[in-house]
Amino acid sequence: MSSRGLILAIESSCDETAAAIVERGSRTLASVVASQIPTHARYGGVVPELASREHLRAVVPVVRAALSDAGIGFADLDALAVTSGPGLAGALLVGISYAKALSLARQIPLVAVNHLEGHIHAVLLNEREVALAAGQPDPADEPALALVVSGGHTHLYLAQPAHGVGQGLWTYKLVGRTLDDAAGEAYDKVAKLLGLGYPGGPWIDSLARFGNSRAVPFAFSQIKTKVHLEGKAPRTKAARTAPIAKLDPRLLFSFSGIKTAVLRYVELNGLRAEAEARTPKTLADPKPPQTREAALELCPQPVLDLVASFQHAVVGDLMKKTFAAAEALGAKRVLVTGGVAANRELRARLTAEAQRRGIRAAFPTMALSTDNAAMIGAAAWPRFLAGEFAAGDLSADPALALGV
Ligand code: KG4
Ligand code: ZN
């Protein structure tokens, strides 16, 4: 190993092609993300075939940009890291094939990383970077409850240091999950039916500030034990997990009902035609409005109120189950990560409630909340130190689970 401990990480599980150079799992020298949002926006969601094609186009330039930003060459690398799942099969395969070819050609060891573990490491990387910059030692490994909340997942894990303090390897136990849609998926679907831009999270996040969150009283009903005791598989494309029957029903999420409730509200209140008129405008200007005037120009007050109420309900439900899990497990530390962790209301309300309960809540930076490769490089570092390298037949595992 060179003295620097440099990892080139590649991420291509969904609609971002990303490469990063991370030093010793704790310092990001470069992080480049090529977003495919403009490609998928007109369809209101990720089109898997288009995603694979865009990854093929972007992977080489993105890796070159990361090396150049970090001021290094392939010869300086100690390892490569790549996301092997969960995600879209064709999209994952682009990153994996590229990383395997590079590993063979340049004789650089390759570490396979679970995308969900990557999201958790986004928070740890952030904590380590802040500590390093302040001249403080690495924050000690301390068990944590992790909420991974993104477009594909709404999963709660108990994360624990694997081999005692200092090594940075963690083990994960699934303690809760969604039975159907992920929270980010609900954001995307609600935004789509309201004629807002894609992905929906940032739009709803921006518009919600200008609405009355008490206007529409959306409620999440308690998950009925019958559903999971019958051993039904969850209706999601997310990672395989242990049977739902083994999980505490208080820690199960379900986001498909609120989407239907929003649809019903839109139809009952005659907001449908306006939603249809909005789509061409949002396609022309893909950035969500930032001022009340701009928001009002796009959406009438009842739509802003609906959006605010939807977000208030989703954030409330994420908090309720996260704190129920923290209480049940005695967790004093909560890590919130994944695309929805970028949400301003979730950050503010969850942080305030954690303080009230004497729990430390940590989020990644905004840039590290959504998909990126720096988190993959950070998750790869302890595996690299432990000599856990990918086998030659590494392939994409679209339903790769995290932990047990
Ligand atoms: O982690 P990510 O980039 O990709 C997946 O692994 O899914 O998460 C993307 C998801 C999308 O559903 C997007 O709408 C949501 O994260 N998202 C947000 C915000 N920014 C992104 N949801 C709520 N508020 C946001 N500010
Ligand atoms: Zn993700």
Side-chain angles (χ1 to χ4, degrees), residues 13 115 119 150 338-339 369-371 375:
S13 65
H115 182 80
H119 273 303
S150 68
S369 296
T370 47
D371 288 351
M375 67 186 196

Side-chain angles (χ1 to χ4, degrees), residues 302-366:
V303 173
L304 297 178
D305 292 346
L306 172 63
V307 156
S309 303
F310 162 79
Q311 174 159 292
H312 186 80
V314 171
V315 167
D317 190 62
L318 290 171
M319 286 171 57
K320 180 176 158 198
K321 284 157 190 174
T322 302
F323 288 116
E327 202 166 288
L329 300 163
K332 286 279 157 231
R333 183 180 185 208
V334 173
L335 314 177
V336 186
T337 188
V340 182
N343 187 269
R344 283 171 281 194
E345 183 173 338
L346 178 63
R347 284 176 178 247
R349 284 175 59 196
L350 195 140
T351 304
E353 180 61 18
Q355 268 168 8
R356 206 182 63 75
R357 291 171 180 253
I359 291 175
R360 283 191 299 126
F363 290 78
T365 57
M366 292 300 235

Side-chain angles (χ1 to χ4, degrees), residues 23-367:
E23 188 178 344
R24 299 182 172 279
S26 54
R27 209 159 74 89
T28 308
L29 303 189
S31 181
V32 179
V33 180
S35 170
Q36 302 177 2
I37 286 175
T39 304
H40 302 288
R42 79 190 71 166
Y43 304 102
V46 179
V47 183
E49 291 76 10
L50 294 183
S52 309
R53 193 188 69 191
E54 294 297 311
H55 285 308
L56 272 172
R57 277 198 192 142
V59 68
V60 171
V62 159
V63 166
R64 283 211 187 113
L67 289 168
S68 142
D69 286 0
I72 61 162
F74 287 123
D76 298 309
L77 295 173
D78 294 288
L80 303 172
V82 70
T83 305
S84 60
L88 301 169
L92 287 162
L93 273 174
V94 176
I96 293 172
S97 310
Y98 176 84
K100 279 168 76 173
L102 189 61
S103 167
L104 271 173
R106 301 267 178 176
Q107 294 293 299
I108 310 171
L110 173 63
V111 180
V113 174
N114 182 312
H115 182 80
L116 301 171
E117 181 168 33
H119 273 303
I120 293 174
H121 273 264
V123 192
L124 304 176
L125 173 63
N126 191 24
E127 287 188 330
R128 273 187 234 120
E129 282 189 318
V130 170
L132 265 168
Q136 291 162 354
D138 256 15
D141 285 350
E142 183 194 322
L145 175 74
L147 169 67
V148 182
V149 61
S150 68
H153 294 82
T154 302
H155 284 41
L156 280 165
Y157 296 95
L158 178 63
Q160 286 173 302
H163 307 302
V165 176
Q167 291 210 347
L169 268 179
W170 291 64
T171 58
Y172 306 93
K173 183 175 172 352
L174 182 82
V175 294
R177 61 163 294 167
T178 178
L179 291 174
D180 41 54
D181 291 353
E185 205 175 345
Y187 266 93
D188 295 340
K189 287 179 176 170
V190 164
K192 189 176 178 182
L193 78 87
L194 290 173
L196 303 172
Y198 176 83
W203 281 82
I204 292 182
D205 192 355
S206 288
L207 294 170
R209 277 179 297 158
F210 307 116
N212 171 9
S213 63
R214 315 264 165 200
V216 190
F218 290 118
F220 282 86
S221 51
Q222 175 66 48
I223 304 284
K224 292 184 192 64
T225 46
K226 204 170 113 251
V227 177
H228 59 93
L229 286 180
E230 276 170 0
K232 274 194 187 158
R235 299 188 306 276
T236 105
K237 296 184 287 284
R240 283 182 300 271
T241 58
I244 299 295
K246 290 199 177 153
L247 300 173
D248 180 343
R250 290 173 308 153
L251 310 184
L252 296 176
F253 299 91
S254 169
F255 292 103
S256 67
I258 192 161
K259 173 194 68 194
T260 315
V262 171
L263 179 62
R264 202 170 305 130
Y265 187 88
V266 165
E267 282 173 350
L268 282 175
N269 291 276
L271 303 174
R272 170 63 94 194
E274 289 174 18
E276 277 156 14
R278 205 152 27 241
T279 310
K281 274 195 234 157
T282 55
L283 281 178
D285 182 6
K287 271 182 84 64
Q290 298 298 324
T291 62
R292 177 176 285 278
E293 291 66 38
L296 271 171
E297 209 174 292
L298 190 70
C299 305
Q301 195 62 46
V303 173
L304 297 178
D305 292 346
L306 172 63
V307 156
S309 303
F310 162 79
Q311 174 159 292
H312 186 80
V314 171
V315 167
D317 190 62
L318 290 171
M319 286 171 57
K320 180 176 158 198
K321 284 157 190 174
T322 302
F323 288 116
E327 202 166 288
L329 300 163
K332 286 279 157 231
R333 183 180 185 208
V334 173
L335 314 177
V336 186
T337 188
V340 182
N343 187 269
R344 283 171 281 194
E345 183 173 338
L346 178 63
R347 284 176 178 247
R349 284 175 59 196
L350 195 140
T351 304
E353 180 61 18
Q355 268 168 8
R356 206 182 63 75
R357 291 171 180 253
I359 291 175
R360 283 191 299 126
F363 290 78
T365 57
M366 292 300 235

